[in-house]
Amino acid sequence: MPEYRALRQQYGMLELCQTPELAVQVTLQPVESIDVDAAILFSDLLLPLEPMGLTFDFVKGEGPQFDDPIRSAADVARLHPIDPEDALAYVLDTIRQLKTRLDVPLIGFVGAPFTLASYCIEGGPSKDFARTKAMMYAEPEAWHTLCSRLAEMAGRYLRAQIAAGVDAVQVFDSWVGQLGPADYREFALPHTRRVFEAIADLDAPSIHFGVGTAMLLEDMATAGSSVVGADWRTPLDRAWQLIGPDRGIQGNLDPTLLLGPWHRVRAAVEDVVARAAGRPGHIFNLGHGVLPMTSPEVVQRVARLVHQLTAWRSR
Amino acid sequence: MPEYRALRQQYGMLELCQTPELAVQVTLQPVESIDVDAAILFSDLLLPLEPMGLTFDFVKGEGPQFDDPIRSAADVARLHPIDPEDALAYVLDTIRQLKTRLDVPLIGFVGAPFTLASYCIEGGPSKDFARTKAMMYAEPEAWHTLCSRLAEMAGRYLRAQIAAGVDAVQVFDSWVGQLGPADYREFALPHTRRVFEAIADLDAPSIHFGVGTAMLLEDMATAGSSVVGADWRTPLDRAWQLIGPDRGIQGNLDPTLLLGPWHRVRAAVEDVVARAAGRPGHIFNLGHGVLPMTSPEVVQRVARLVHQLTAWRSR
């Protein structure tokens, strides 16, 4: 959104996230101009890593760059537990301020252990996650220790977000689609499961999302979330079949489609809605993040179209 | 391989590909030190694009960078057909020289229209292939013209490679896993099919490979190749089920696994072989390229282990 870009001219990514007044403003921007049914907290997956002991910065055009990535068991031992009420007070403060301003539900989020671990280990962008997987295979104990610490943090952090007022939470396992199913079950799933277990006694619905997960959806559905998100590569009806009828589903319009002409966008939105077939438990969403060159007007048209196509359900 | 790295210190990527004596040397390196059953031509997917009118260079650490990427129908019109015997004579010369030196079959290759088009349009590395997909959606005529020209080139180029002596060909649709199934059927499959049709009257077996294709394998199997390759994300038995019993299968050890300890590599190799279950038509391979930091000794151990595990079949 242009309003967001204007702010990013003035402030760095971390500064925006760490200043509640600004994070509130950015969270509200799409809610005010697009007919969405929920707000998603403006924040970043990596924020909890800083108080845990890993410093990083966002390098323009390249994403996060860590000063001292985790490369050994000794590096894992450097990480320490955090109290989110203290270390991430600015996020909780943002949530509390948002709750006084929003009339739609607010979704909080955290990174899943695998995805956070991959950032910690790669230390920057990666195509193949070779260092991450090399540690998994060669130093499984260090890997599991790292993921346990991240899972513990994630559970506490989500509890704190829910206590501060978020109405639902999302666990982003963005890069887990790098794993085949056997590796997923051994190295990622047990830790993600602990995150959902940590909030199981609370009343907040949870969403579990990853990219490139066609072969993982069945296993992801066992991690404990109320809803599983799918990217655009798996047709929604097929994805729902894979995760089973007991879970809700979120997805899954290809975000690049929003760069195309409206008649194509419309047909694709209709297709997603048709595949959901009116079953309760579908959260319409993109299959991954909005691309920077997307026109906010198109996103607004999509939101209106979805409401139109599903209006009979809310009547 | 260290021998390859030594050559890369002396020569650029394009120079290596375009000098038959050097390309022969690089092709032979793994055949001489690893017990592989076939050689794959040392070359690059992008070579045919240069004589078609697109100049590029390989930038260290970043991959190919095009001087004038394709961004419009007018840019597509700039591309001209080529005669591979003339424009890619150095590749055919490499093949002819190799055939006098090899005692295992030689595999030639070409990029599939979607993947080549994505390089032409992005002009450099891309995470989301946004420009490629934007052209597909917004300028379908320009897209289909571009892919038709690439398909025509690919068909002629493969015929020339087979005439020069390659025993089998591979069509790499490396990045096609970015598409959902409906887009694949509309924008990629018809063009790939033309490539296989162009060599259908010849006697060379063909392999069709892409990454992240869990949801595309069924459609890929209809493009006309004798063998379909799968990456490591789809268990081999599941992939074979998807492509059907009439096609051979190639794959699919996770290349990052080779960075792990031998007991893990062994177990994973055994798993792939067990999933093939002795059915004829399995070509054991990695699920994507070998990573630069991989030890050649591990690759050699894998080749020996595969031979050991499948020895009863060749007896």
PDB file of all heavy atoms in Angstrom, chain B residues 216-222 226-230 236-250 279:
ATOM      1  N   LEU B 216       1.671 -31.570 -10.142  1.00  0.00           N
ATOM      2  CA  LEU B 216       1.722 -31.498 -11.612  1.00  0.00           C
ATOM      3  C   LEU B 216       2.092 -32.828 -12.256  1.00  0.00           C
ATOM      4  O   LEU B 216       1.992 -32.971 -13.478  1.00  0.00           O
ATOM      5  CB  LEU B 216       2.763 -30.448 -12.047  1.00  0.00           C
ATOM      6  CG  LEU B 216       2.610 -29.035 -11.493  1.00  0.00           C
ATOM      7  CD1 LEU B 216       3.689 -28.137 -12.076  1.00  0.00           C
ATOM      8  CD2 LEU B 216       1.227 -28.470 -11.780  1.00  0.00           C
ATOM      9  N   LEU B 217       2.540 -33.792 -11.453  1.00  0.00           N
ATOM     10  CA  LEU B 217       3.088 -35.023 -12.033  1.00  0.00           C
ATOM     11  C   LEU B 217       2.106 -35.727 -12.970  1.00  0.00           C
ATOM     12  O   LEU B 217       2.492 -36.212 -14.036  1.00  0.00           O
ATOM     13  CB  LEU B 217       3.548 -35.976 -10.922  1.00  0.00           C
ATOM     14  CG  LEU B 217       4.842 -35.571 -10.194  1.00  0.00           C
ATOM     15  CD1 LEU B 217       5.052 -36.436  -8.952  1.00  0.00           C
ATOM     16  CD2 LEU B 217       6.055 -35.667 -11.123  1.00  0.00           C
ATOM     17  N   GLU B 218       0.841 -35.764 -12.583  1.00  0.00           N
ATOM     18  CA  GLU B 218      -0.148 -36.432 -13.433  1.00  0.00           C
ATOM     19  C   GLU B 218      -0.214 -35.794 -14.818  1.00  0.00           C
ATOM     20  O   GLU B 218      -0.274 -36.484 -15.831  1.00  0.00           O
ATOM     21  CB  GLU B 218      -1.536 -36.339 -12.787  1.00  0.00           C
ATOM     22  CG  GLU B 218      -1.747 -37.350 -11.679  1.00  0.00           C
ATOM     23  CD  GLU B 218      -3.100 -37.163 -10.985  1.00  0.00           C
ATOM     24  OE1 GLU B 218      -3.141 -36.344 -10.037  1.00  0.00           O
ATOM     25  OE2 GLU B 218      -4.074 -37.794 -11.407  1.00  0.00           O
ATOM     26  N   ASP B 219      -0.214 -34.454 -14.843  1.00  0.00           N
ATOM     27  CA  ASP B 219      -0.261 -33.760 -16.135  1.00  0.00           C
ATOM     28  C   ASP B 219       1.051 -33.870 -16.887  1.00  0.00           C
ATOM     29  O   ASP B 219       1.067 -34.019 -18.114  1.00  0.00           O
ATOM     30  CB  ASP B 219      -0.614 -32.278 -15.915  1.00  0.00           C
ATOM     31  CG  ASP B 219      -2.067 -32.118 -15.497  1.00  0.00           C
ATOM     32  OD1 ASP B 219      -2.937 -32.767 -16.108  1.00  0.00           O
ATOM     33  OD2 ASP B 219      -2.330 -31.342 -14.561  1.00  0.00           O
ATOM     34  N   MET B 220       2.162 -33.792 -16.165  1.00  0.00           N
ATOM     35  CA  MET B 220       3.472 -33.903 -16.827  1.00  0.00           C
ATOM     36  C   MET B 220       3.585 -35.239 -17.560  1.00  0.00           C
ATOM     37  O   MET B 220       4.215 -35.329 -18.610  1.00  0.00           O
ATOM     38  CB  MET B 220       4.601 -33.747 -15.807  1.00  0.00           C
ATOM     39  CG  MET B 220       4.799 -32.308 -15.339  1.00  0.00           C
ATOM     40  SD  MET B 220       6.047 -32.169 -14.006  1.00  0.00           S
ATOM     41  CE  MET B 220       7.558 -32.600 -14.878  1.00  0.00           C
ATOM     42  N   ALA B 221       2.980 -36.259 -16.972  1.00  0.00           N
ATOM     43  CA  ALA B 221       3.064 -37.598 -17.575  1.00  0.00           C
ATOM     44  C   ALA B 221       2.365 -37.659 -18.926  1.00  0.00           C
ATOM     45  O   ALA B 221       2.587 -38.579 -19.703  1.00  0.00           O
ATOM     46  CB  ALA B 221       2.480 -38.635 -16.628  1.00  0.00           C
ATOM     47  N   THR B 222       1.520 -36.664 -19.221  1.00  0.00           N
ATOM     48  CA  THR B 222       0.807 -36.663 -20.507  1.00  0.00           C
ATOM     49  C   THR B 222       1.554 -35.871 -21.583  1.00  0.00           C
ATOM     50  O   THR B 222       1.081 -35.754 -22.712  1.00  0.00           O
ATOM     51  CB  THR B 222      -0.609 -36.053 -20.369  1.00  0.00           C
ATOM     52  OG1 THR B 222      -0.481 -34.628 -20.177  1.00  0.00           O
ATOM     53  CG2 THR B 222      -1.374 -36.656 -19.213  1.00  0.00           C
ATOM     54  N   SER B 226       9.242 -40.525 -22.145  1.00  0.00           N
ATOM     55  CA  SER B 226       9.228 -41.932 -21.720  1.00  0.00           C
ATOM     56  C   SER B 226       9.387 -42.040 -20.207  1.00  0.00           C
ATOM     57  O   SER B 226       8.925 -43.006 -19.595  1.00  0.00           O
ATOM     58  CB  SER B 226      10.328 -42.733 -22.427  1.00  0.00           C
ATOM     59  OG  SER B 226      11.247 -41.944 -23.116  1.00  0.00           O
ATOM     60  N   VAL B 227      10.042 -41.050 -19.599  1.00  0.00           N
ATOM     61  CA  VAL B 227      10.338 -41.079 -18.159  1.00  0.00           C
ATOM     62  C   VAL B 227       9.974 -39.723 -17.569  1.00  0.00           C
ATOM     63  O   VAL B 227      10.175 -38.697 -18.210  1.00  0.00           O
ATOM     64  CB  VAL B 227      11.857 -41.337 -17.934  1.00  0.00           C
ATOM     65  CG1 VAL B 227      12.226 -41.236 -16.465  1.00  0.00           C
ATOM     66  CG2 VAL B 227      12.269 -42.694 -18.509  1.00  0.00           C
ATOM     67  N   VAL B 228       9.414 -39.719 -16.352  1.00  0.00           N
ATOM     68  CA  VAL B 228       9.164 -38.460 -15.653  1.00  0.00           C
ATOM     69  C   VAL B 228      10.053 -38.428 -14.407  1.00  0.00           C
ATOM     70  O   VAL B 228      10.164 -39.433 -13.696  1.00  0.00           O
ATOM     71  CB  VAL B 228       7.674 -38.313 -15.266  1.00  0.00           C
ATOM     72  CG1 VAL B 228       7.440 -37.024 -14.470  1.00  0.00           C
ATOM     73  CG2 VAL B 228       6.791 -38.324 -16.507  1.00  0.00           C
ATOM     74  N   GLY B 229      10.716 -37.310 -14.178  1.00  0.00           N
ATOM     75  CA  GLY B 229      11.556 -37.165 -12.987  1.00  0.00           C
ATOM     76  C   GLY B 229      10.774 -36.486 -11.879  1.00  0.00           C
ATOM     77  O   GLY B 229       9.930 -35.626 -12.144  1.00  0.00           O
ATOM     78  N   ALA B 230      11.057 -36.882 -10.635  1.00  0.00           N
ATOM     79  CA  ALA B 230      10.365 -36.268  -9.495  1.00  0.00           C
ATOM     80  C   ALA B 230      11.405 -35.736  -8.522  1.00  0.00           C
ATOM     81  O   ALA B 230      12.481 -36.319  -8.382  1.00  0.00           O
ATOM     82  CB  ALA B 230       9.486 -37.301  -8.802  1.00  0.00           C
ATOM     83  N   LEU B 236       8.871 -41.673  -3.849  1.00  0.00           N
ATOM     84  CA  LEU B 236       8.971 -42.235  -5.196  1.00  0.00           C
ATOM     85  C   LEU B 236       7.780 -43.111  -5.574  1.00  0.00           C
ATOM     86  O   LEU B 236       7.292 -43.061  -6.705  1.00  0.00           O
ATOM     87  CB  LEU B 236      10.277 -43.015  -5.364  1.00  0.00           C
ATOM     88  CG  LEU B 236      10.555 -43.397  -6.821  1.00  0.00           C
ATOM     89  CD1 LEU B 236      11.500 -42.410  -7.474  1.00  0.00           C
ATOM     90  CD2 LEU B 236      11.097 -44.803  -6.934  1.00  0.00           C
ATOM     91  N   ASP B 237       7.314 -43.920  -4.638  1.00  0.00           N
ATOM     92  CA  ASP B 237       6.183 -44.795  -4.971  1.00  0.00           C
ATOM     93  C   ASP B 237       4.919 -43.982  -5.251  1.00  0.00           C
ATOM     94  O   ASP B 237       4.150 -44.262  -6.167  1.00  0.00           O
ATOM     95  CB  ASP B 237       5.933 -45.840  -3.870  1.00  0.00           C
ATOM     96  CG  ASP B 237       5.923 -45.239  -2.477  1.00  0.00           C
ATOM     97  OD1 ASP B 237       6.375 -44.076  -2.289  1.00  0.00           O
ATOM     98  OD2 ASP B 237       5.470 -45.926  -1.549  1.00  0.00           O
ATOM     99  N   ARG B 238       4.727 -42.923  -4.469  1.00  0.00           N
ATOM    100  CA  ARG B 238       3.581 -42.030  -4.689  1.00  0.00           C
ATOM    101  C   ARG B 238       3.702 -41.339  -6.045  1.00  0.00           C
ATOM    102  O   ARG B 238       2.735 -41.230  -6.798  1.00  0.00           O
ATOM    103  CB  ARG B 238       3.549 -40.997  -3.556  1.00  0.00           C
ATOM    104  CG  ARG B 238       2.447 -39.982  -3.638  1.00  0.00           C
ATOM    105  CD  ARG B 238       1.152 -40.500  -3.039  1.00  0.00           C
ATOM    106  NE  ARG B 238       0.056 -39.571  -3.323  1.00  0.00           N
ATOM    107  CZ  ARG B 238      -0.864 -39.775  -4.263  1.00  0.00           C
ATOM    108  NH1 ARG B 238      -0.855 -40.876  -4.982  1.00  0.00           N
ATOM    109  NH2 ARG B 238      -1.817 -38.879  -4.456  1.00  0.00           N
ATOM    110  N   ALA B 239       4.908 -40.878  -6.369  1.00  0.00           N
ATOM    111  CA  ALA B 239       5.138 -40.200  -7.653  1.00  0.00           C
ATOM    112  C   ALA B 239       4.851 -41.155  -8.809  1.00  0.00           C
ATOM    113  O   ALA B 239       4.220 -40.777  -9.802  1.00  0.00           O
ATOM    114  CB  ALA B 239       6.572 -39.686  -7.732  1.00  0.00           C
ATOM    115  N   TRP B 240       5.277 -42.386  -8.657  1.00  0.00           N
ATOM    116  CA  TRP B 240       5.076 -43.361  -9.744  1.00  0.00           C
ATOM    117  C   TRP B 240       3.590 -43.649  -9.931  1.00  0.00           C
ATOM    118  O   TRP B 240       3.100 -43.807 -11.053  1.00  0.00           O
ATOM    119  CB  TRP B 240       5.866 -44.652  -9.464  1.00  0.00           C
ATOM    120  CG  TRP B 240       6.384 -45.279 -10.724  1.00  0.00           C
ATOM    121  CD1 TRP B 240       5.934 -45.065 -12.005  1.00  0.00           C
ATOM    122  CD2 TRP B 240       7.467 -46.206 -10.846  1.00  0.00           C
ATOM    123  NE1 TRP B 240       6.660 -45.794 -12.904  1.00  0.00           N
ATOM    124  CE2 TRP B 240       7.612 -46.521 -12.226  1.00  0.00           C
ATOM    125  CE3 TRP B 240       8.328 -46.821  -9.931  1.00  0.00           C
ATOM    126  CZ2 TRP B 240       8.572 -47.403 -12.702  1.00  0.00           C
ATOM    127  CZ3 TRP B 240       9.283 -47.699 -10.416  1.00  0.00           C
ATOM    128  CH2 TRP B 240       9.412 -47.996 -11.780  1.00  0.00           C
ATOM    129  N   GLN B 241       2.882 -43.687  -8.825  1.00  0.00           N
ATOM    130  CA  GLN B 241       1.429 -43.862  -8.873  1.00  0.00           C
ATOM    131  C   GLN B 241       0.800 -42.695  -9.654  1.00  0.00           C
ATOM    132  O   GLN B 241      -0.080 -42.898 -10.489  1.00  0.00           O
ATOM    133  CB  GLN B 241       0.947 -43.852  -7.427  1.00  0.00           C
ATOM    134  CG  GLN B 241      -0.371 -44.478  -7.140  1.00  0.00           C
ATOM    135  CD  GLN B 241      -0.659 -44.415  -5.625  1.00  0.00           C
ATOM    136  OE1 GLN B 241      -0.027 -43.656  -4.870  1.00  0.00           O
ATOM    137  NE2 GLN B 241      -1.607 -45.222  -5.180  1.00  0.00           N
ATOM    138  N   LEU B 242       1.296 -41.487  -9.391  1.00  0.00           N
ATOM    139  CA  LEU B 242       0.725 -40.307 -10.047  1.00  0.00           C
ATOM    140  C   LEU B 242       1.020 -40.276 -11.541  1.00  0.00           C
ATOM    141  O   LEU B 242       0.170 -39.869 -12.336  1.00  0.00           O
ATOM    142  CB  LEU B 242       1.246 -39.022  -9.381  1.00  0.00           C
ATOM    143  CG  LEU B 242       0.697 -38.746  -7.981  1.00  0.00           C
ATOM    144  CD1 LEU B 242       1.513 -37.654  -7.281  1.00  0.00           C
ATOM    145  CD2 LEU B 242      -0.777 -38.309  -8.048  1.00  0.00           C
ATOM    146  N   ILE B 243       2.216 -40.679 -11.935  1.00  0.00           N
ATOM    147  CA  ILE B 243       2.536 -40.595 -13.372  1.00  0.00           C
ATOM    148  C   ILE B 243       2.030 -41.819 -14.136  1.00  0.00           C
ATOM    149  O   ILE B 243       1.993 -41.800 -15.358  1.00  0.00           O
ATOM    150  CB  ILE B 243       4.046 -40.388 -13.630  1.00  0.00           C
ATOM    151  CG1 ILE B 243       4.868 -41.587 -13.149  1.00  0.00           C
ATOM    152  CG2 ILE B 243       4.541 -39.109 -12.980  1.00  0.00           C
ATOM    153  CD1 ILE B 243       6.348 -41.487 -13.492  1.00  0.00           C
ATOM    154  N   GLY B 244       1.661 -42.865 -13.402  1.00  0.00           N
ATOM    155  CA  GLY B 244       1.079 -44.043 -14.064  1.00  0.00           C
ATOM    156  C   GLY B 244       2.130 -45.080 -14.426  1.00  0.00           C
ATOM    157  O   GLY B 244       3.306 -44.757 -14.561  1.00  0.00           O
ATOM    158  N   PRO B 245       1.697 -46.329 -14.612  1.00  0.00           N
ATOM    159  CA  PRO B 245       2.633 -47.443 -14.797  1.00  0.00           C
ATOM    160  C   PRO B 245       3.316 -47.454 -16.166  1.00  0.00           C
ATOM    161  O   PRO B 245       4.302 -48.171 -16.353  1.00  0.00           O
ATOM    162  CB  PRO B 245       1.737 -48.678 -14.640  1.00  0.00           C
ATOM    163  CG  PRO B 245       0.362 -48.211 -14.973  1.00  0.00           C
ATOM    164  CD  PRO B 245       0.295 -46.761 -14.602  1.00  0.00           C
ATOM    165  N   ASP B 246       2.814 -46.646 -17.123  1.00  0.00           N
ATOM    166  CA  ASP B 246       3.395 -46.700 -18.473  1.00  0.00           C
ATOM    167  C   ASP B 246       4.649 -45.856 -18.633  1.00  0.00           C
ATOM    168  O   ASP B 246       5.291 -45.889 -19.684  1.00  0.00           O
ATOM    169  CB  ASP B 246       2.370 -46.220 -19.510  1.00  0.00           C
ATOM    170  CG  ASP B 246       1.120 -47.071 -19.474  1.00  0.00           C
ATOM    171  OD1 ASP B 246       1.207 -48.211 -18.989  1.00  0.00           O
ATOM    172  OD2 ASP B 246       0.059 -46.585 -19.917  1.00  0.00           O
ATOM    173  N   ARG B 247       4.975 -45.062 -17.625  1.00  0.00           N
ATOM    174  CA  ARG B 247       6.162 -44.204 -17.723  1.00  0.00           C
ATOM    175  C   ARG B 247       7.238 -44.723 -16.780  1.00  0.00           C
ATOM    176  O   ARG B 247       6.916 -45.184 -15.680  1.00  0.00           O
ATOM    177  CB  ARG B 247       5.843 -42.764 -17.286  1.00  0.00           C
ATOM    178  CG  ARG B 247       4.659 -42.144 -17.939  1.00  0.00           C
ATOM    179  CD  ARG B 247       4.976 -41.576 -19.307  1.00  0.00           C
ATOM    180  NE  ARG B 247       3.753 -41.630 -20.118  1.00  0.00           N
ATOM    181  CZ  ARG B 247       3.691 -41.359 -21.409  1.00  0.00           C
ATOM    182  NH1 ARG B 247       4.777 -41.014 -22.074  1.00  0.00           N
ATOM    183  NH2 ARG B 247       2.568 -41.435 -22.066  1.00  0.00           N
ATOM    184  N   GLY B 248       8.478 -44.569 -17.190  1.00  0.00           N
ATOM    185  CA  GLY B 248       9.579 -44.778 -16.260  1.00  0.00           C
ATOM    186  C   GLY B 248       9.655 -43.605 -15.294  1.00  0.00           C
ATOM    187  O   GLY B 248       8.995 -42.567 -15.487  1.00  0.00           O
ATOM    188  N   ILE B 249      10.433 -43.756 -14.232  1.00  0.00           N
ATOM    189  CA  ILE B 249      10.556 -42.674 -13.261  1.00  0.00           C
ATOM    190  C   ILE B 249      12.029 -42.421 -12.959  1.00  0.00           C
ATOM    191  O   ILE B 249      12.830 -43.350 -12.956  1.00  0.00           O
ATOM    192  CB  ILE B 249       9.759 -42.999 -11.978  1.00  0.00           C
ATOM    193  CG1 ILE B 249       9.584 -41.746 -11.121  1.00  0.00           C
ATOM    194  CG2 ILE B 249      10.433 -44.117 -11.166  1.00  0.00           C
ATOM    195  CD1 ILE B 249       8.481 -41.873 -10.093  1.00  0.00           C
ATOM    196  N   GLN B 250      12.371 -41.163 -12.720  1.00  0.00           N
ATOM    197  CA  GLN B 250      13.738 -40.805 -12.346  1.00  0.00           C
ATOM    198  C   GLN B 250      13.718 -40.087 -11.016  1.00  0.00           C
ATOM    199  O   GLN B 250      12.913 -39.179 -10.813  1.00  0.00           O
ATOM    200  CB  GLN B 250      14.358 -39.907 -13.413  1.00  0.00           C
ATOM    201  CG  GLN B 250      15.772 -39.452 -13.050  1.00  0.00           C
ATOM    202  CD  GLN B 250      16.387 -38.593 -14.142  1.00  0.00           C
ATOM    203  OE1 GLN B 250      16.987 -39.100 -15.075  1.00  0.00           O
ATOM    204  NE2 GLN B 250      16.219 -37.284 -14.027  1.00  0.00           N
ATOM    205  N   ARG B 279      10.615 -52.613  -9.790  1.00  0.00           N
ATOM    206  CA  ARG B 279       9.907 -52.464 -11.067  1.00  0.00           C
ATOM    207  C   ARG B 279      10.868 -51.923 -12.115  1.00  0.00           C
ATOM    208  O   ARG B 279      11.649 -51.011 -11.838  1.00  0.00           O
ATOM    209  CB  ARG B 279       8.752 -51.473 -10.907  1.00  0.00           C
ATOM    210  CG  ARG B 279       7.534 -52.073 -10.258  1.00  0.00           C
ATOM    211  CD  ARG B 279       6.509 -50.989  -9.975  1.00  0.00           C
ATOM    212  NE  ARG B 279       6.116 -50.257 -11.173  1.00  0.00           N
ATOM    213  CZ  ARG B 279       5.338 -49.173 -11.153  1.00  0.00           C
ATOM    214  NH1 ARG B 279       4.893 -48.685 -10.012  1.00  0.00           N
ATOM    215  NH2 ARG B 279       5.015 -48.564 -12.268  1.00  0.00           N
TER     216      ARG B 279
END
